Amino acid sequence: MIVADPKPFQQIRGFLEDYRKILVLGCGTCVTVCLAGGEAQAELLASGLRISFSKDGKEATVLEDTVQRQCDEEFVLPVLERVKREGIDAVVTLACGVGVNFLSDRIGAIPVFPGVNTTFYGGNVEPGLWSEMCAGCGDCITHLTGGICPIARCSKHLLNGPCGGSEKGMCEVDPQNTECVWQLIYERMKLLGRLHEMQNLIPTKDWRPAMDGGVRRSVREHIFRLQYKSGAGA
Amino acid sequence: MKTESVLEKVLASGQMAVTSECGPPRGSVPDKIIEKANLLKGYVDAINVTDNQTAMVRMSSWSSCIFIKQMGLNPILQMVTRDRNRLAMQSDILGAYAHGINTMLCLSGDHPKFGDHPMAAGVYDLDSIQLVRMVKDMRDEGKFQGGADIVNPPKMFIGAAANPFADPFELRVARLAKKVKAGVDFIQTQCIYNVDKFEKWMEGVRERGLHKQVYILAGITPMKSVGMAKYMKNKVPGMDVPDEVVKRMSSVPKEKQAEEGIKIALETIERLKGVEGVNGFHIMAIEWEEKVPEMVERAGLLPRPQV
């Protein structure tokens, strides 16, 4: 899932000085699960803003709403209609950066402000803790590394690690919290009886499928522009 | 002979090689680099020139190498993959070689977190092993990493680092094997204080016959004080300083600790001279370059061979 952290309240408050009718918009998927931008966090932020506005003598209405996904028109279109209908003049979205973009591309002359910092693709490793596990590099190599990703989980993205800073199983960059991924890969390959494969050189990576080949798209031919083909759209 | 490198010639002659290092200055002051290199003249075969060591900005390695080359000495161009992508690295290698620099050391580099620009992007387009392979292919295939031909390919004598003391220990020989497979010609190791562990690593190296395929220069760093010994033990990741070394440093009065540190270093050199597969020494006297000549002399490594 996509993991995010709430932005500092004062930063969000700072975005909103010039607006009178503000919608705080939560997202019901990833950011709900990681407790950064779901319905509960939207309510909390909205009431915080109301208190702050009234303390500062600023007259503004703060509305709140949460939709299932802010990365899908199906869920976003009703919000756009509401914004128009109710004369909302700014939106703070608690979705990941995708939500901020998705709304901004469609909302017209209404500003959309980010309410969270989108951090990484990760998993919930223990209650209250999410860890990065994938870098979305577009060309997965984890079949070579026992299913554990050195691009996402090595501080230097080393593909032929470990570096000289691996000590007692921990990474020198954050020895209190971060395991050396090459130690993990080593132990996993041993468990799988595949240690000998660690002698193979992993060649230089083609970063084009990652961000360096330009902006990425993902197409499923069998449904892409199906609307056009059936004559229902266009 | 693969290259014109003096270090390669010394190593190929079967004599113990000696290298040391020079950290470029934190400013546009060539005098500093010339001064440091002058101290080493006649005492070492080649001088490593660090590349933004500890992730602190310094004068570039290759420009400092040119100053050293112009003094008639042999610089080793250090290159970390932290700061440049493969285009920048290859163009710097072409430029360095065009200036007569024919020996280099391929590293991944300290993480930006440890330096004075912790907010910088770490590039890591390649890792150190992939860099070794790229330089080898430039030399032996005459090809850029992207596949195109190079006009007058740079003939670099290719070095890399090895840290026998980092974890997991079981992987450390395998990692050296990988560097050999990638095409490395010589290795300079992490500073050795735990000589037993180093010898155990060398045993593994010999078992796999790696000592026949790569020259190994043992890393030696004299300790100035018990404070430095403790710092190296507790604060420097991947550094193995046994308790008895710290104890020995603290057993002598403060004003004699520097000499004790030198003695420990010299004893290490003496012991390692007898270890099969050790082909020389890389003496890194951190901010203490003026001690290198004395150490080389007392270690019986003079005169340096004329090759």
Side-chain angles (χ1 to χ4, degrees):
Chain A
M1 61 185 267
I2 295 175
V3 180
D5 293 326
K7 268 192 178 292
F9 178 80
Q10 285 307 330
Q11 189 184 8
I12 299 174
R13 172 69 179 82
F15 296 150
L16 301 171
E17 209 45 64
D18 300 337
Y19 304 99
R20 294 285 169 270
K21 197 166 188 184
I22 296 150
L23 175 64
V24 175
L25 187 63
C27 184
T29 309
C30 309
V31 289
T32 293
V33 180
C34 68
L35 307 177
E39 194 173 0
Q41 290 76 34
E43 275 176 28
L44 204 65
L45 176 61
S47 36
L49 288 171
R50 284 183 204 113
I51 293 167
S52 168
F53 289 163
S54 93
K55 243 172 82 182
D56 299 349
K58 172 180 162 69
E59 278 187 32
T61 308
V62 182
L63 305 164
E64 62 202 55
D65 197 357
T66 296
V67 297
Q68 187 57 42
R69 283 199 297 278
Q70 290 186 33
C71 51
D72 226 324
E73 283 203 329
E74 180 188 348
F75 302 105
V76 163
L77 290 179
V79 175
L80 299 181
E81 278 159 26
R82 179 180 176 187
V83 165
K84 205 186 250 176
R85 197 173 58 237
E86 300 185 17
I88 288 163
D89 61 358
V91 176
V92 177
T93 168
L94 297 185
C96 69
V98 177
V100 186
N101 281 266
F102 206 84
L103 281 173
S104 296
D105 279 350
R106 288 163 177 78
I107 204 166
I110 311 282
V112 179
F113 297 108
V116 301
N117 293 319
T118 308
T119 45
F120 50 77
Y121 308 140
N124 186 194
V125 291
E126 57 182 90
L129 176 65
W130 286 263
S131 285
E132 182 165 19
M133 301 208 160
C134 173
C137 74
D139 181 13
C140 193
I141 57 148
T142 53
H143 56 292
L144 302 173
T145 54
I148 295 176
C149 180
I151 296 166
R153 298 172 72 180
C154 168
S155 299
K156 299 183 190 171
H157 330 306
L158 301 183
L159 297 184
N160 292 285
C163 79
S166 174
E167 207 169 78
K168 300 186 178 75
M170 302 304 280
C171 170
E172 63 175 357
V173 172
D174 180 17
Q176 303 302 320
N177 303 304
T178 304
E179 289 168 295
C180 168
V181 74
W182 280 100
Q183 176 86 37
L184 298 179
I185 292 170
Y186 167 69
E187 281 159 13
R188 180 107 182 106
M189 293 297 265
K190 200 162 153 184
L191 188 67
L192 296 172
R194 289 170 54 196
L195 258 191
H196 58 280
E197 286 178 37
M198 290 192 78
Q199 322 232 10
N200 302 337
L201 297 183
I202 297 185
T204 49
K205 195 164 165 63
D206 180 342
W207 294 108
R208 279 173 295 184
M211 275 187 82
D212 301 285
V215 180
R216 296 174 281 176
R217 319 191 315 154
S218 203
V219 175
R220 304 285 171 277
E221 291 293 348
H222 61 295
I223 50 171
F224 183 56
R225 291 188 179 152
L226 201 59
Q227 283 186 331
Y228 295 82
K229 284 173 198 158
S230 67
Chain B
M1 218 60 78
K2 296 171 185 169
T3 71
E4 289 294 306
S5 167
V6 165
L7 181 62
E8 182 181 13
K9 286 177 190 164
V10 171
L11 287 164
S13 77
Q15 303 175 77
M16 283 280 168
V18 181
T19 57
S20 186
E21 74 174 23
C22 222
R26 304 232 323 135
S28 305
V29 275
D31 297 357
K32 281 277 166 204
I33 198 102
I34 292 166
E35 192 183 301
K36 280 186 180 180
N38 249 327
L39 288 171
L40 300 171
K41 199 171 186 172
Y43 292 94
V44 300
D45 305 310
I47 302 168
N48 286 53
V49 184
T50 53
D51 182 11
N52 287 340
Q53 83 223 49
T54 64
M56 310 263 282
V57 178
R58 290 169 183 275
M59 189 192 289
S60 64
S61 177
W62 64 262
S63 66
S64 306
C65 281
I66 293 170
F67 285 118
I68 292 175
K69 188 81 198 169
Q70 285 169 344
M71 296 166 67
L73 304 177
N74 308 306
I76 299 176
L77 174 73
Q78 290 199 184
M79 187 170 282
V80 300
T81 65
R82 176 195 62 224
D83 301 336
R84 300 172 182 77
N85 71 2
R86 62 192 88 178
L87 277 90
M89 288 193 284
Q90 290 178 101
S91 74
D92 279 352
I93 291 165
L94 294 182
Y97 187 68
H99 280 283
I101 294 155
N102 51 28
T103 311
M104 65 181 288
L105 188 76
C106 303
L107 305 164
S108 61
D110 293 319
H111 192 275
K113 184 209 158 173
F114 298 105
D116 64 349
H117 290 71
M119 70 301 276
V123 179
Y124 302 116
D125 181 13
L126 309 182
D127 62 28
S128 57
I129 291 179
Q130 294 164 343
L131 173 57
V132 166
R133 173 49 67 90
M134 181 172 81
V135 183
K136 183 192 184 321
D137 287 346
M138 290 173 82
R139 179 186 71 197
D140 296 345
E141 313 296 325
K143 299 272 191 206
F144 288 117
Q145 209 270 323
D149 291 333
I150 303 173
V151 180
N152 190 25
K155 304 283 185 199
M156 286 286 180
F157 189 52
I158 306 166
N163 185 355
F165 308 107
D167 293 320
F169 181 71
E170 309 78 38
L171 260 192
R172 291 293 148 184
V173 173
R175 190 157 151 82
L176 177 67
K178 251 182 152 178
K179 289 190 176 182
V180 169
K181 206 178 206 178
V184 77
D185 299 309
F186 74 95
I187 290 288
Q188 292 171 320
T189 77
Q190 174 68 285
C191 324
I192 301 161
Y193 299 106
N194 187 342
V195 186
D196 292 338
K197 196 165 183 184
F198 178 77
E199 288 191 340
K200 199 170 155 215
W201 179 75
M202 282 302 300
E203 246 175 67
V205 170
R206 288 193 301 272
E207 267 165 31
R208 297 177 64 158
L210 297 172
H211 65 306
K212 306 265 188 212
Q213 300 168 64
V214 65
Y215 298 111
I216 296 173
L217 277 62
I220 303 288
T221 292
M223 311 231 234
K224 260 180 168 170
S225 63
V226 68
M228 177 175 171
K230 285 182 180 159
Y231 179 81
M232 300 271 251
K233 181 180 176 68
N234 301 320
K235 299 279 171 180
V236 184
M239 188 76 77
D240 184 345
V241 183
D243 288 332
E244 62 259 30
V245 173
V246 179
K247 215 183 274 172
R248 186 171 158 188
M249 287 298 285
S250 57
S251 72
V252 298
K254 210 170 177 201
E255 66 277 8
K256 290 192 175 157
Q257 282 174 2
E259 173 56 22
E260 196 64 19
I262 301 270
K263 270 189 196 156
I264 294 173
L266 294 174
E267 287 165 23
T268 305
I269 293 177
E270 208 44 45
R271 185 166 154 193
L272 295 180
K273 276 183 188 170
V275 173
E276 188 188 354
V278 172
N279 306 101
F281 298 95
H282 179 45
I283 303 173
M284 298 161 275
I286 301 159
E287 295 302 318
W288 211 18
E289 287 88 353
E290 68 273 17
K291 278 286 168 189
V292 174
E294 180 193 322
M295 288 178 67
V296 176
E297 187 168 9
R298 285 171 66 184
L301 294 164
L302 287 183
R304 298 311 311 146
Q306 297 301 308
V307 289

